[in-house]
Amino acid sequence: MVETAVNKGAPFLGRRVVVGVTGGIAAYKAAELVRLLVREAAEVLVAMTENATRFVSPLTFEALSGHRVIRSMWEADGTGIEHIAWGQEADLILVAPATANIIGKAACGIADDFLSTMLLAATAKILLCPSMNTRMFENPVLQENLSRLLQRGLSVLMPGAGALACRTEGRGRLPEPEDILEEARRLLTPQDLEGRKVLVTAGATREPIDPVRYVSNRSSGKMGYALARAARQRGAAVVLVSGATALKPPVGVEVVGVGTALDMRQAVFSRLVGCDMVIKAAAVSDYRPKTAAPQKVKKGAEELNLEMVKNPDILKELGMSKGDGGPLLVGFAAETEALLEHAREKLRSKNLDMIVANDVSAADAGFQTDTNRVKMLFRDGRVEESGLLSKDAVAHLVLDRAMEILTRRRAEA
Ligand code: C5P
């Protein structure tokens, strides 16, 4: 498959995923997993063990996937090779939940039903999602089996801790379907940022007026979060310095929550060591109230004047202080007029390697939306337009261009 930013932003599009469901109580979560995969345009085939059908009916998976579910070697389509074909034609096999039994069978090469036989013959990538009682999970036999499978190149998404169906607390919960999906995205994405450290800022800063009020802006944080997720999917170690957002923290990313621009500055500078790239997608308040009132400001006077002072420009400081070997700097410019002129000026005055300009007055781009349309400006004067894309695809496009600059720089050094 040709790897474009659009494909990287939609890694399941046109991909075949086999979901193996085994007999644990978390089998009901596999139904949601299949629904999410289908929603992301994957072709999904489901194989169930006989025990899994005691928990959820195959009919549920047939309705969700739009394909016949296979649970036995003897009910295939007559060709007799589906256990071979499924595992070789798939892009990914997800076993969720994976019981101690299927893990043991896979580790020892036992093939006594359709799913275990398919796993043995598979050439596709395999992701196992163990889910079971804590004692079973911690049993050295199970752990040895998992280590063996990891050594052989299979991937394992470790279970979470929490309340279990057996009315105990501990390790063994199947991760939420969204988190399994995120791990699957990573497995389907080329790891071209492996070994790289990327720092992303996102969201709006909040500058307090008093203990209950603040000055802020309409940034949702979606673009910065998409960048952090995309960099992690491509193998980078990611630090996300996040102002206020309503978004769920991305899995596998170190999230540092901040309030004001001054907090953000401190967080960025203290985590800069070893960074290959800094992408500043945060909407930082340019000004802050000179003093924050210690108590709630009371209603009274007809007019209230707020005295504001300038915040430090974090990106400009980074640009001015970076020497030859400093991290690659990518800025964002949100504008409502004269987009290119303003962006060009920021690229120059902040000493950036690249700036991503978006017109935040458009309805389908900029703040709050899931789509974006950006212009990327480079130091050599080039301007590249993205067209209307999902924010995930824009994130991959920005990373593609940033990686090209880094690679060129390394070749010239
Ligand atoms: O505010 P301005 O339009 O100049 O923002 C452009 C870029 O500079 C953005 O990438 C933003 O995150 C960054 N910035 C910053 N510190 C500020 C203001 C903006 O790092 N105080």
Side-chain angles (χ1 to χ4, degrees):
M1 182 180 284
V2 185
E3 290 295 348
T4 64
V6 175
N7 287 337
K8 289 178 198 157
F12 295 112
L13 186 70
R15 290 294 197 14
R16 178 179 282 194
V17 181
V18 172
V19 177
V21 186
T22 64
I25 180 60
Y28 75 93
K29 289 192 189 171
E32 175 68 0
L33 180 64
V34 170
R35 193 186 69 81
L36 292 175
L37 285 163
V38 170
R39 197 181 67 184
E40 298 218 6
E43 185 193 10
V44 184
L45 297 173
V46 179
M48 298 178 80
T49 61
E50 222 29 75
N51 288 335
T53 66
R54 303 267 180 163
F55 290 93
V56 185
S57 160
L59 189 60
T60 303
F61 290 105
E62 288 184 352
L64 291 169
S65 69
H67 292 284
R68 191 169 54 91
V69 166
I70 295 193
R71 46 186 172 155
S72 150
M73 294 290 288
W74 318 116
E75 61 175 284
D77 64 1
T79 59
I81 57 156
E82 277 165 313
H83 59 290
I84 311 288
W86 275 32
Q88 292 183 354
E89 289 164 12
D91 296 288
L92 181 67
I93 301 174
L94 283 172
V95 184
T99 55
N101 189 37
I102 192 76
I103 292 167
K105 289 202 284 187
C108 300
I110 295 172
D112 65 352
D113 63 3
F114 182 83
L115 180 60
S116 52
T117 310
M118 183 191 63
L119 288 177
L120 206 57
T123 50
K125 288 183 178 161
I126 299 174
L127 174 62
L128 300 173
C129 305
S131 165
M132 64 202 73
N133 164 273
T134 310
R135 286 264 171 80
M136 288 170 79
F137 183 70
E138 288 173 354
N139 191 307
V141 173
L142 189 280
Q143 291 298 323
E144 279 167 29
N145 286 338
L146 280 181
S147 310
R148 262 210 245 174
L149 291 166
L150 281 167
Q151 273 167 22
R152 285 195 211 127
L154 279 78
S155 299
V156 177
L157 183 62
M158 288 301 177
L164 302 178
C166 50
R167 291 173 185 73
T168 55
E169 291 263 337
R171 195 115 189 254
R173 279 173 67 89
L174 185 72
E176 292 310 314
E178 280 286 1
D179 296 340
I180 298 175
L181 211 65
E182 188 59 26
E183 189 60 16
R185 278 191 199 102
R186 198 174 69 79
L187 289 173
L188 290 175
T189 307
Q191 300 294 288
D192 60 336
L193 267 73
E194 196 160 12
R196 303 282 188 178
K197 183 176 169 190
V198 177
L199 191 149
V200 180
T201 69
T205 61
R206 287 179 172 174
E207 310 297 334
I209 297 170
D210 67 18
V212 296
R213 303 183 180 96
Y214 53 79
V215 177
S216 191
N217 59 68
R218 291 178 47 227
S219 166
S220 63
K222 283 181 180 171
M223 192 61 242
Y225 274 55
L227 281 157
R229 269 201 320 272
R232 135 96 184 159
Q233 280 163 18
R234 292 165 72 156
V238 182
V239 180
L240 173 63
V241 177
S242 176
T245 76
L247 303 173
K248 199 180 147 211
V251 276
V253 164
E254 183 193 343
V255 182
V256 185
V258 294
T260 64
L262 290 175
D263 295 340
M264 182 171 278
R265 180 181 180 281
Q266 208 273 332
V268 168
F269 278 93
S270 68
R271 285 168 181 80
L272 213 51
V273 180
C275 278
D276 297 283
M277 216 185 273
V278 176
I279 309 182
K280 285 220 82 241
V284 187
S285 297
D286 293 326
Y287 294 89
R288 66 177 183 275
K290 188 169 183 181
T291 48
Q295 304 299 335
K296 186 180 167 195
V297 176
K298 289 302 199 192
K299 180 161 53 194
E302 282 308 309
E303 279 186 21
L304 177 74
N305 290 311
L306 208 53
E307 199 180 345
M308 308 279 279
V309 292
K310 209 167 183 184
N311 266 329
D313 190 319
I314 307 163
L315 192 52
K316 193 167 186 169
E317 270 185 62
L318 289 172
M320 292 305 146
S321 64
K322 87 170 168 143
D324 282 347
L328 183 107
L329 293 184
V330 182
F332 271 70
E335 304 290 347
T336 53
E337 45 147 18
L339 185 65
L340 277 181
E341 288 88 308
H342 286 146
R344 209 167 271 137
E345 168 54 21
K346 284 176 192 172
L347 178 73
R348 193 195 55 75
S349 67
K350 300 193 191 204
N351 193 27
L352 309 179
D353 296 285
M354 169 178 167
I355 193 156
V356 185
N358 56 305
D359 180 352
V360 287
S361 60
D364 54 5
F367 290 156
Q368 311 286 342
T369 62
D370 289 323
T371 51
N372 212 352
R373 180 189 284 114
V374 300
K375 290 186 170 70
M376 290 173 290
L377 286 77
F378 304 92
R379 286 173 89 101
D380 59 8
R382 268 182 312 127
V383 179
E384 180 181 344
E385 300 198 17
S386 70
L388 188 67
L389 296 173
S390 70
K391 281 189 174 168
D392 289 330
V394 171
H396 282 288
L397 188 59
V398 169
L399 291 174
D400 283 351
R401 296 299 169 264
M403 280 307 289
E404 282 164 21
I405 301 173
L406 268 187
T407 315
R408 209 177 313 133
R409 220 189 244 177
R410 182 170 279 185
E412 284 163 8

